[in-house]
Amino acid sequence: MGSTAGRERVVRMSVEQPLWRALRGYRLLTMVYAIGLFASAYEVYERPWVAVAYFAVMAVWTVATLPQVSGARRCTKRFLTADLAIAVAGILLSPVAGHERAVTGGSTLPSIWTAGAVLAWALKGGWRWAASASLLVGAANVIQRGGLSRSTLHNVLLVCIASIAIGYVVEVARASERTLARALEIEAATRERERLARDIHDNVLQVLAMVQRRGNALGGEAAEIGRMAGEQEVALRTLVAGGLMPASRASEDAAQGAVVRAVDEPDRAGFADDAGADDAEPRDLRPLLAGHASARVTFAEPGAPVLMPPAAARELAAAVSAALDNVRRHAGEDAHAWILVEDDPDAVIVTVRDDGPGIPEGRLAQAEGEGRLGVALSIRGRLRDIGGTAELVSVPGQGAEVELNVPKKK
């Protein structure tokens, strides 16, 4: 689940982190604004040294605590309490500094810097914390004004509503992050189950089916072995179709997947051994498919290399193998198959066609219901994982055609 955790961290940074960056900028700008406001009216203060001392503390505190306002983890309750205390102290010190307008409706010493302290509470704890901090600031304003005037009520309500709204938005964003993280975990687990199911279908289930057929043909003790293999095939198909492979057993599943791949068919060995080369140079798809050519399989390829990312080439080749397996199992011993590779400017297209009896209408849905997921998992699932598509066209009596389309990345 390492990639899931990485994506969750990216989501958190993309949703919440810009708000903290904006708060840091807001605190710096409003600090400069409050100091400039004081400087422009310096001569009207009876005790300007009180204001100077307060602004010195506020400026040092604002600059020194910028790292604390970089995210929810570093913005501790102790910091928030001290920050709000400095804002409230500035409000209560405004009359002491001797500025008459501070009592009659003008700006307090910290001015709108106070809102930054309240917003930090909102970003850290949501709307309930924001309401508590804004009410405390409102009470300090009422005490400083000596009563609840219209302008005081207006300012208190403005800060309270704005901080509560932002706190609520943060709570919704965090809930969405948790939901998305859970969805990513489920998606990763589902993809892992489908990958394992494809490996099982391509290898173990086919071996069990072959043992059952050969045992029934030989008779005697071999027939009993075939019967047991058939029972295990049915049980394993039910397990695969029900999605009962828990993603929490990731290490055990990985080991099982390695064992499954170890019994791969010879015509898949060319790309099974290449499993660790995902970051290698693009490779030619043609050699991965050329081994399928035989008296009953015609292979047509372009004259130039068909270069693809190694992982995509392996999955596409595995999908072709699965399509040919279906031809061998369902089209009859005398059926002929054709593989056509096309290297278009925008996509690599591989078509697998046969001259068998075709697929009766509704047969694919019935097969999926019975746990026979060759087309659903081994073909469509592989193509989906590499960003491609698989289209199946079949007319009863006229064979079937599977078109595998993998777009090229620009």
Side-chain angles (χ1 to χ4, degrees):
M1 294 296 178
S3 61
T4 302
R7 282 181 284 184
E8 183 182 356
R9 287 194 294 270
V10 171
V11 170
R12 178 170 293 278
M13 288 191 63
S14 66
V15 173
E16 190 173 326
Q17 211 53 34
L19 297 176
W20 289 102
R21 287 198 295 267
L23 179 60
R24 279 188 292 176
Y26 177 87
R27 288 168 65 88
L28 286 173
L29 291 175
T30 53
M31 177 198 71
V32 173
Y33 174 77
I35 294 174
L37 201 62
F38 161 71
S40 66
Y42 178 84
E43 66 280 355
V44 303
Y45 282 86
E46 296 177 6
R47 288 174 288 277
W49 59 269
V50 174
V52 171
Y54 173 77
F55 283 122
V57 172
M58 186 181 77
V60 172
W61 173 261
T62 301
V63 174
T65 58
L66 283 179
Q68 273 67 43
V69 197
S70 61
R73 180 181 299 179
R74 304 193 66 177
C75 189
T76 63
K77 291 183 179 179
R78 181 179 299 180
F79 161 75
L80 290 173
T81 302
D83 196 52
L84 190 61
I86 291 176
V88 171
I91 294 172
L92 297 178
L93 283 175
S94 297
V96 178
H99 190 357
E100 182 182 356
R101 289 191 61 201
V103 178
T104 60
S107 298
T108 59
L109 286 179
S111 184
I112 57 176
W113 184 87
T114 305
V118 178
L119 292 176
W121 280 72
L123 293 182
K124 173 67 176 182
W127 71 268
R128 293 175 182 83
W129 286 32
S132 301
S134 58
L135 287 176
L136 185 59
V137 169
N141 274 282
V142 172
I143 294 172
Q144 175 257 324
R145 306 288 187 188
L148 186 61
S149 64
R150 177 177 296 180
S151 61
T152 303
L153 179 62
H154 172 78
N155 293 334
V156 169
L157 285 177
L158 182 62
V159 173
C160 186
I161 293 173
S163 60
I164 289 176
I166 291 176
Y168 179 75
V169 169
V170 169
E171 288 189 3
V172 172
R174 286 174 179 162
S176 300
E177 290 172 12
R178 290 191 294 270
T179 302
L180 179 57
R182 179 57 182 159
L184 291 174
E185 291 175 2
I186 294 173
E187 179 189 7
T190 301
R191 287 184 177 274
E192 179 65 10
R193 285 196 296 267
E194 290 183 355
R195 184 190 65 79
L196 291 172
R198 286 197 297 266
D199 286 344
I200 291 172
H201 176 274
D202 289 350
N203 303 287
V204 180
L205 289 176
Q206 292 180 10
V207 170
L208 290 173
M210 182 189 68
V211 171
Q212 181 186 21
R213 290 195 303 270
R214 301 294 284 280
N216 292 337
L218 293 174
E221 293 183 359
E224 179 63 17
I225 296 175
R227 184 188 64 80
M228 291 189 293
E231 292 176 353
Q232 293 303 311
E233 180 194 5
V234 172
L236 191 53
R237 286 188 186 278
T238 303
L239 183 67
V240 171
L244 300 179
M245 299 177 207
S248 59
R249 299 168 53 198
S251 59
E252 182 179 345
D253 287 347
Q256 292 174 351
V259 173
V260 169
R261 285 190 292 274
V263 298
D264 210 352
E265 292 184 6
D267 60 0
R268 297 195 186 113
F271 58 88
D273 294 338
D274 194 31
D278 289 349
D279 297 328
E281 292 295 323
R283 66 176 304 173
D284 190 358
L285 175 66
R286 298 177 303 169
L288 300 181
L289 303 180
H292 294 299
S294 66
R296 296 196 177 278
V297 179
T298 300
F299 178 57
E301 59 182 325
V306 181
L307 299 179
M308 298 183 67
R314 290 195 303 271
E315 290 298 302
L316 182 54
V320 171
S321 296
L324 291 174
D325 288 339
N326 285 335
V327 173
R328 285 191 288 267
R329 295 184 61 184
H330 304 298
E333 296 294 333
D334 297 330
H336 194 95
W338 291 264
I339 303 173
L340 172 62
V341 180
E342 300 174 81
D343 189 9
D344 290 347
D346 299 325
V348 174
I349 302 172
V350 179
T351 304
V352 180
R353 182 169 60 85
D354 67 75
D355 60 358
I359 302 174
E361 185 176 355
R363 182 67 186 94
L364 288 179
Q366 179 184 354
E368 291 187 20
E370 296 172 352
R372 301 179 182 276
L373 306 177
V375 174
L377 290 179
S378 291
I379 300 179
R380 291 199 179 107
R382 291 185 188 277
L383 269 292
R384 183 198 61 209
D385 286 351
I386 59 176
T389 58
E391 297 294 335
L392 174 63
V393 179
S394 178
V395 178
Q398 299 182 23
E401 179 178 299
V402 179
E403 182 181 283
L404 310 175
N405 188 308
V406 181
K408 294 181 178 178
K409 293 182 180 180
K410 299 298 184 181

